[in-house]
Amino acid sequence: MAKYFADVSSFQRDDLGFFQELVNAGVASVLIKTTQGSPDGDNYINPKSTNQARNALAAGMNVGFYHYFLATSVTDAINEAKFFEQSVINLGFGKDTPLCVDVEDPSLNTSAIASYVDTFINYLETQGYTNVFQYSMESWFNQGILNANKHPTWVASYGSSDCGARGNIVAWQYTSNWGGSSQDMSYDWGIFDKQPAKTEAATQPTVEPEKPKVENVIKLTEQTHPVDRLGIERPETYEVGSTWKSSDIVMINNEPHYQIATDIFVPISKTTFKDFIIVKYTDDSPAPVFDSKGKRVQNASVSTGKSFKTAGFKVINGIPMAKIATDQFIPFEYTSGSRFE
C-alpha cells in the first residue's frame, strides 16, 4: 500500500478534526511549514505551527517540518538554517525529525542557489539532524539548478505518470488539489520510515526508527491485457490506474513482467516502473551494482528504498538487469516487485 504525506502551512486548518480527516483518508504523515527567511529578513514563523504539530500528533500522525528558503548568500543560508532549527527546538522535536528546505521562490539566484542549499543542509547535519532533505519542482533538478543526487530530494511534478526527476528521490508531490481542495499531497518513499521524536504533549513512548520498507505495488499506465507464463494473452482487461501487488519479476517475450497472480503477468513497460526502479534489498547491506560484463562494480552499491531512472534493460549472464548509469546495472531481482527478501 502506498504511503502518503500532506504538507501544510498557515493556509490550512490547525484543529484536531482536520488532521483526523487526513488520517481517516489514509494519510499517515504531515510536513508543517514553520519558518520563512531569516530573523533579519522575512522573520516569519507560521502562527499555526504549534497547534498543527500538537494536533497532528494527537491524531496519530508522523510529523516533520519545512522552511521556505530565501537566502541570497552563504551567511544568509546559515542564518536561515539557525532560524529554522530554533523553531524545531521550540516545538520540542528531536534530531531525527524530518526537516526540509523548500527551494522554489522566483527571487532566488538560480546560478548560486545550489551552494546556498548545500550550506543550509550541511549546517543542520553538523548539528546532528539525521533526516534533512531538499524540495523543489522537477524542472529545477532537470535544468541543473539543484542536484537531486547530492541530497535526499522531494520533488514536485503534477499531472505526470512519475516524479519527472531522477536521483536520490525520497518523495514525490504529485498533486496540489488532493481531495478537490487546495491541499498538496505526496508519495512518501522513505522520509517517514524513521519515526520523529515526539513532543511531551504526545505522551507516547519513544520508538526505534523503522527500517526502510518497499511495497511491491505496481500501477498500470495504460489499458492492459495480461499474459500467462508462456506469453499467451489472456482475455481479461485491466484498466489504466489500477494497482496490483507483484510477487516476482520474470522474462516473458524478451521483456520483464510483473507476476500479479499464479499465472498472470503484466509487462513492466505498461506500469509506472517503465523507466524507473526502487531498490529492494536487505536492510543491513546495500544492493550490488554490475557492469555490462556481469562483474561487480567496485565502490558502487545502493541501499533499499533508493530510486533510479533507468535507460532500458539488458540480460547479463542470463540475469535481466536495469541500466541505471553508463555501464552500471542492477538485477531486477533487487527491485520493487520481485520476490527477493
Side-chain angles (χ1 to χ4, degrees):
M1 183 176 180
K3 295 183 293 182
Y4 303 90
F5 68 88
D7 55 283
V8 303
S9 66
S10 61
F11 292 106
Q12 277 77 33
R13 290 156 45 193
D14 62 354
D15 59 283
L16 178 59
F18 170 73
F19 295 99
Q20 192 61 61
E21 288 169 7
L22 290 173
V23 171
N24 293 343
V27 181
S29 308
V30 64
L31 277 180
I32 299 169
K33 177 179 179 179
T34 61
T35 49
Q36 177 173 312
S38 61
D40 56 358
D42 277 26
N43 194 30
Y44 174 83
I45 298 176
N46 173 9
K48 294 182 179 179
S49 59
T50 299
N51 281 341
Q52 287 173 332
R54 179 184 296 118
N55 285 322
L57 288 171
M61 303 186 81
N62 304 311
V63 177
F65 303 101
Y66 72 92
H67 168 85
Y68 192 83
F69 200 57
L70 295 173
T72 57
S73 68
V74 169
T75 299
D76 205 18
I78 294 173
N79 288 337
E80 291 200 12
K82 291 180 177 178
F83 185 42
F84 180 41
E85 178 189 22
Q86 191 59 53
S87 72
V88 175
I89 293 172
N90 291 345
L91 288 167
F93 282 72
K95 300 286 188 177
D96 57 350
T97 304
L99 302 180
C100 180
V101 54
D102 178 351
V103 190
E104 61 177 297
D105 196 87
S107 70
L108 294 172
N109 180 353
T110 55
S111 64
I113 194 62
S115 65
Y116 303 157
V117 170
D118 290 346
T119 299
F120 184 99
I121 290 176
N122 290 341
Y123 171 84
L124 290 173
E125 289 180 340
T126 59
Q127 301 308 303
Y129 291 91
T130 60
N131 195 353
V132 186
F133 52 103
Q134 62 184 347
Y135 164 93
S136 192
M137 61 285 281
E138 56 89 13
S139 60
W140 279 31
F141 297 109
N142 291 332
Q143 293 170 18
I145 296 171
L146 294 172
N147 186 343
N149 285 300
K150 193 163 190 179
H151 305 291
T153 296
W154 171 27
V155 59
S157 180
Y158 307 147
S160 57
S161 61
D162 69 20
C163 67
R166 299 297 179 258
N168 187 5
I169 309 298
V170 294
W172 168 24
Q173 186 183 80
Y174 66 93
T175 182
S176 60
N177 192 38
W178 181 79
S181 61
S182 298
Q183 175 61 62
D184 297 335
M185 191 61 65
S186 299
Y187 291 112
D188 175 16
W189 293 333
I191 290 174
F192 288 98
D193 285 337
K194 289 183 177 181
Q195 297 296 321
K198 306 297 184 179
T199 63
E200 293 181 2
T203 62
Q204 295 182 11
T206 301
V207 295
E208 292 297 320
E210 294 180 358
K211 293 182 178 180
K213 296 177 182 178
V214 178
E215 302 273 343
N216 284 346
V217 176
I218 59 109
K219 183 177 182 180
L220 296 178
T221 56
E222 57 184 277
Q223 194 174 70
T224 302
H225 284 287
V227 298
D228 63 19
R229 190 174 292 274
L230 298 178
I232 300 172
E233 189 174 276
R234 296 176 61 90
E236 62 264 34
T237 301
Y238 298 146
E239 296 302 317
V240 176
S242 60
T243 57
W244 306 86
K245 188 166 184 177
S246 171
S247 59
D248 199 5
I249 302 175
V250 300
M251 293 292 290
I252 299 175
N253 295 333
N254 297 315
E255 180 183 355
H257 282 61
Y258 289 111
Q259 182 175 6
I260 60 174
T262 301
D263 194 27
I264 301 178
F265 303 82
V266 294
I268 283 180
S269 62
K270 294 185 178 182
T271 74
T272 53
F273 291 119
K274 175 183 179 181
D275 57 0
F276 172 70
I277 60 167
I278 300 175
V279 176
K280 175 189 177 185
Y281 200 63
T282 61
D283 292 331
D284 300 323
S285 59
V289 177
F290 299 88
D291 64 19
S292 57
K293 295 180 180 179
K295 294 182 179 180
R296 178 78 178 266
V297 178
Q298 297 298 317
N299 301 318
S301 57
V302 288
S303 57
T304 290
K306 298 299 182 185
S307 59
F308 294 89
K309 178 178 175 60
T310 58
F313 68 91
K314 185 175 183 178
V315 178
I316 302 173
N317 295 337
I319 301 172
M321 302 191 188
K323 184 176 182 180
I324 61 171
T326 302
D327 204 31
Q328 291 191 6
F329 299 82
I330 292 181
F332 277 110
E333 181 183 5
Y334 302 150
T335 69
S336 182
S338 79
R339 62 182 177 183
F340 181 85
E341 293 182 356

